[in-house]
Amino acid sequence: MTSNKTKVVEPLAKFHAKVYVKGRIRIINNEREFLELTDGDIVKLIIRTLDEEKKPVARAYFEGMLVSGGNVTIPKDLIQKLNIKKGDMIEVLLVGYTKLNEIIPEEHYRLLKQFKYGKFKLITADEEKQLLESISGVFS
């Protein structure tokens, strides 16, 4: 007796998302919490555009960085190639992710988060002088 075994491959998550301004989509909160995804993590996604009958028309794979609120932006060229418009509903398959804090040193991760959140520090004239002196030493 022969057995016909078919391997079924499933994504980590599958959901539908509305496309917002500039190609932003949101990974729903339940999925982010379950997978412990946070801002700055890289997500690996397959997106599918759908016809009127909600059947897949076109598919694409891309990787993007999660930002505030679980948003990720579809690359501009991909939006154009798939003719995706603001307000469209697409199918999203989360097929993988990378947690940056697990692959880069803690000090670098903190630095990246500072850039992401636009952190700044007000400085005194003396602190400004120290910063300028340290920079001029780099280029000497």
Side-chain angles (χ1 to χ4, degrees), residues 90-132:
I90 61 172
E91 197 167 69
V92 180
L93 284 73
L94 176 61
V95 296
Y97 60 89
T98 301
K99 299 189 71 53
L100 287 185
N101 65 337
E102 293 176 0
I103 63 169
I104 61 175
E106 180 64 28
E107 63 191 51
H108 296 153
Y109 182 70
R110 278 193 314 249
L111 183 62
L112 284 173
K113 287 191 78 110
Q114 286 177 356
F115 282 120
K116 181 181 155 306
Y117 291 114
K119 291 193 177 184
F120 61 89
K121 175 185 174 188
L122 298 177
I123 58 174
T124 65
D126 287 339
E127 290 171 317
E128 177 184 38
K129 183 180 176 189
Q130 289 174 350
L131 281 169
L132 290 171

Side-chain angles (χ1 to χ4, degrees), residues 10-119:
E10 293 187 19
L12 296 172
K14 177 182 169 185
F15 54 94
H16 295 87
K18 185 175 187 176
V19 178
Y20 295 99
V21 177
K22 296 184 180 180
R24 281 180 308 161
I25 58 174
R26 180 169 293 138
I27 297 181
I28 56 178
N29 195 42
N30 291 344
E31 301 300 343
R32 292 193 326 266
E33 284 180 9
F34 180 75
L35 297 170
E36 299 178 354
L37 296 174
T38 57
D39 293 357
D41 290 343
I42 305 298
V43 290
K44 301 171 184 189
L45 304 173
I46 293 173
I47 59 171
R48 299 172 177 165
T49 58
L50 306 170
D51 64 15
E52 295 80 27
E53 297 173 0
K54 300 178 183 165
K55 303 271 189 224
V57 176
R59 297 163 170 82
Y61 169 85
F62 75 96
E63 297 179 10
M65 181 178 282
L66 275 181
V67 295
S68 180
N71 289 310
V72 63
T73 301
I74 302 168
K76 185 178 179 180
D77 291 344
L78 179 55
I79 291 169
Q80 292 171 347
K81 283 199 184 295
L82 296 184
N83 197 29
I84 297 172
K85 295 179 181 44
K86 178 184 169 192
D88 286 355
M89 289 296 289
I90 61 172
E91 197 167 69
V92 180
L93 284 73
L94 176 61
V95 296
Y97 60 89
T98 301
K99 299 189 71 53
L100 287 185
N101 65 337
E102 293 176 0
I103 63 169
I104 61 175
E106 180 64 28
E107 63 191 51
H108 296 153
Y109 182 70
R110 278 193 314 249
L111 183 62
L112 284 173
K113 287 191 78 110
Q114 286 177 356
F115 282 120
K116 181 181 155 306
Y117 291 114
K119 291 193 177 184

